[in-house]
């Protein structure tokens, strides 16, 4: 490509990026307001996480002539992705009957995936009727008005394990989850998010406390994607899970992977330095950086800065914090 063609291509890209940026910052829809911007720089958020869900910093990388054509193309792709609404789809394709000595119940397999494109990171969980029933009861305490017209499948005295009843409930629970997710305040509520993630997280942390780091890591890596999607407006919410992944990788002697997830967690705490995980995470990251031969001076400076601002109090290590999560 000659110089004139190259300049023309860059100008066209700049104009396209400008149009995309303008359309993504003018009159955004409810869903677009809550999409996290590309993590090019640390976004400033208010300390109230609930307001984080309603308001994002508008600071993004401004396209300029110093960017190469390749960088402009990547920036354009990122901006286009931010313009798309990301929604989740719930499917219940199958069930299984579980029998114990004194109990018998049906487990419903729930597949949660992103709509609009092929989703290679779909999440698969299982819940039983009593789990759905508990969720509905808990939501009614807070969202009775929103749920007044929502019909929940009732228990029957007989026939709960017939194919007909099970199929009816599969469809009913699928519609129920879709309806809940369509309601903004319900899908953001802790009760709804806990229903979809807490059992798996409890199992993972139980394995971590028992020293079963491989099993804990397997579960945590399965659930982190779903947890991030459900808490898009409040990225700090996934910090404990990211830190638990760091602990598992570290104890499994995978320092590079531990450092990678530690960076993800630290980026979410850049303006939340009072968070209980901030200092223990910094200390762990310094040790990992030293082990990997990476620059740890900037991390050390942040740690010293934190210490000068805070009163000297006992701080748990990252592992000590992790093993305390999800204790019943």
């Amino acid at each position: 490509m000659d110089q004139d063609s190259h300049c023309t291509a860059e100008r066209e890209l700049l104009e396209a990026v400008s149009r995309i940026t303008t359309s993504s910052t003018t009159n955004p829809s409810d869903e677009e307001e809550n999409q996290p911007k590309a993590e090019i720089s640390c976004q400033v958020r208010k300390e109230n996480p609930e307001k984080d869900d309603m308001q994002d910093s508008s600071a993004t990388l401004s396209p300029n002539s110093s960017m190469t054509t390749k960088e402009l193309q990547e920036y354009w792709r990122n901006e286009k992705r931010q313009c798309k609404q990301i929604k989740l789809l719930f499917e219940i394709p199958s069930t299984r009957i579980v029998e114990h000595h004194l109990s018998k119940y049906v487990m419903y397999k729930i597949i949660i995936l992103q709509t609009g494109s092929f989703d290679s990171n779909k999440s698969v969980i299982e819940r039983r009727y009593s789990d759905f029933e508990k969720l509905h009861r808990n939501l009614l305490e807070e969202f009775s008005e929103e749920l007044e017209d929502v019909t929940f499948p009732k228990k029957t005295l007989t026939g709960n394990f017939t194919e007909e009843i099970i199929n009816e409930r599969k469809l009913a629970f699928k519609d129920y989850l879709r309806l809940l997710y369509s309601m903004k305040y319900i899908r953001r509520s802790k009760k709804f998010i806990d229903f979809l993630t807490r059992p798996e997280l409890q199992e993972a942390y139980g394995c971590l406390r028992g020293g079963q780091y491989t099993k804990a890591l397997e579960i945590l890596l399965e659930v982190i994607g779903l947890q991030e999607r459900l808490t898009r407006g409040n990225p700090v919410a996934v910090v404990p899970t990211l830190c638990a992944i760091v602990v598992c990788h570290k104890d499994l002697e995978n320092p590079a992977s531990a450092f990678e997830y530690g960076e993800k967690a630290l980026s979410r705490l850049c303006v939340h330095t009072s968070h209980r995980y901030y200092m223990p995470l910094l200390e762990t990251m310094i040790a990992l950086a030293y082990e990997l031969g990476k620059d740890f001076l900037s991390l050390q400076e942040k740690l010293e800065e934190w210490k000068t601002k805070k009163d000297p109090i006992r701080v748990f290590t990252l592992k000590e914090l992790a093993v305390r999560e999800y204790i019943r």
Side-chain angles (χ1 to χ4, degrees):
M1 180 184 293
D2 57 35
Q3 186 174 358
D4 291 340
S5 299
H6 182 79
C7 291
T8 301
E10 282 201 353
R11 282 196 301 271
E12 290 176 352
L13 275 169
L14 281 168
E15 292 172 0
V17 169
S18 178
R19 288 195 298 270
I20 291 293
T21 304
T22 301
S23 65
S24 65
T25 56
T26 305
N27 297 326
S29 68
D30 171 64
E31 291 293 331
E32 289 168 340
E33 283 183 353
N34 294 286
Q35 303 304 317
K37 304 296 186 293
E39 294 183 8
I40 299 167
S41 63
C42 182
Q43 296 183 358
V44 177
R45 295 177 179 272
K46 296 184 178 181
E47 288 297 322
N48 187 339
E50 293 184 358
K51 290 188 178 180
D52 288 345
D53 195 32
M54 304 296 292
Q55 181 176 351
D56 280 324
S57 168
S58 60
T60 56
L61 180 62
S62 298
N64 55 68
S65 58
S66 65
M67 297 172 67
T68 66
T69 301
K70 183 178 180 180
E71 288 172 336
L72 282 166
Q73 288 172 336
E74 181 60 28
Y75 178 77
W76 188 16
R77 282 194 291 268
N78 287 336
E79 285 295 321
K80 287 174 69 178
R81 282 196 291 267
Q82 296 303 322
C83 290
K84 293 180 180 179
Q85 294 185 14
I86 294 182
K87 297 183 179 180
L88 298 182
L89 180 68
F90 299 86
E91 296 290 345
I92 304 181
S94 61
T95 61
R96 63 186 179 95
I97 297 176
V98 178
E99 292 190 62
H100 289 304
H101 295 298
L102 299 174
S103 64
K104 181 179 178 181
Y105 53 88
V106 178
M107 293 294 290
Y108 297 85
K109 181 180 180 180
I110 306 168
I111 297 179
I112 308 161
L113 63 160
Q114 181 178 317
T115 62
S117 62
F118 175 73
D119 188 0
S120 61
N121 297 315
K122 65 183 179 183
S123 300
V124 181
I125 60 176
E126 284 190 317
R127 297 293 182 267
R128 55 189 291 188
Y129 180 93
S130 60
D131 295 324
F132 282 96
E133 189 177 40
K134 181 180 178 181
L135 168 66
H136 191 67
R137 188 167 58 249
N138 289 339
L139 290 176
L140 281 173
E141 295 175 358
E142 189 175 353
F143 304 104
S144 58
E145 185 175 342
E146 289 84 350
L147 296 174
E148 62 181 357
D149 295 325
V150 176
T151 302
F152 188 82
K154 299 185 181 299
K155 282 185 177 179
T156 59
L157 294 177
T158 60
N160 287 303
F161 302 101
T162 63
E163 184 177 354
E164 181 182 1
I165 293 296
I166 291 174
N167 286 334
E168 284 179 2
R169 286 183 177 172
K170 277 171 53 179
L171 294 174
F173 285 143
K174 181 178 71 172
D175 291 340
Y176 177 71
L177 289 174
R178 287 178 176 179
L179 182 59
L180 293 183
Y181 186 75
S182 70
M183 300 179 189
K184 179 175 63 175
Y185 296 109
I186 290 182
R187 71 169 174 264
R188 293 174 181 171
S189 71
K190 185 177 184 299
K191 293 173 181 178
F192 181 67
I193 294 171
D194 278 353
F195 168 80
L196 296 171
T197 61
R198 190 177 181 89
E200 286 72 24
L201 287 171
Q202 285 179 326
E203 182 184 359
Y205 279 93
C207 292
L208 193 156
R209 285 188 287 272
Q212 298 175 302
Y213 301 114
T214 300
K215 179 63 175 176
L217 183 60
E218 178 185 336
I219 301 171
L220 290 168
L221 291 175
E222 284 285 334
V223 77
I224 185 66
L226 175 59
Q227 195 179 21
E228 285 178 326
R229 291 176 180 183
L230 291 168
T231 60
R232 290 180 66 85
N234 181 21
V236 176
V238 301
V239 166
T241 307
L242 288 171
C243 288
I245 292 174
V246 171
V247 169
C248 290
H249 274 306
K250 190 171 184 295
D251 281 7
L252 289 170
E253 299 182 355
N254 300 324
S257 296
F259 191 83
E260 176 189 348
Y261 280 92
E263 284 187 316
K264 292 180 181 180
L266 203 56
S267 70
R268 288 160 169 78
L269 295 179
C270 56
V271 293
H272 297 278
T273 57
S274 61
H275 196 282
R276 69 187 188 282
Y277 272 89
Y278 183 70
M279 182 178 176
L281 179 59
L282 273 178
E283 291 177 330
T284 299
M285 291 295 285
I286 291 169
L288 287 169
Y290 182 81
E291 181 180 353
L292 293 167
K294 295 179 178 289
D295 175 29
F296 60 87
L297 293 180
S298 60
L299 295 170
Q300 187 70 49
E301 289 174 0
K302 290 180 181 179
L303 181 61
E304 294 303 323
E305 181 183 359
W306 187 92
K307 288 181 177 179
T308 60
K309 293 180 179 179
K310 302 294 180 180
D311 295 330
I313 56 174
R314 181 176 184 269
V315 178
F316 293 112
T317 66
L318 196 67
K319 187 172 183 178
E320 286 174 336
L321 278 178
V323 298
R324 283 168 168 76
E325 295 283 350
Y326 291 96
I327 295 179
R328 298 187 184 214

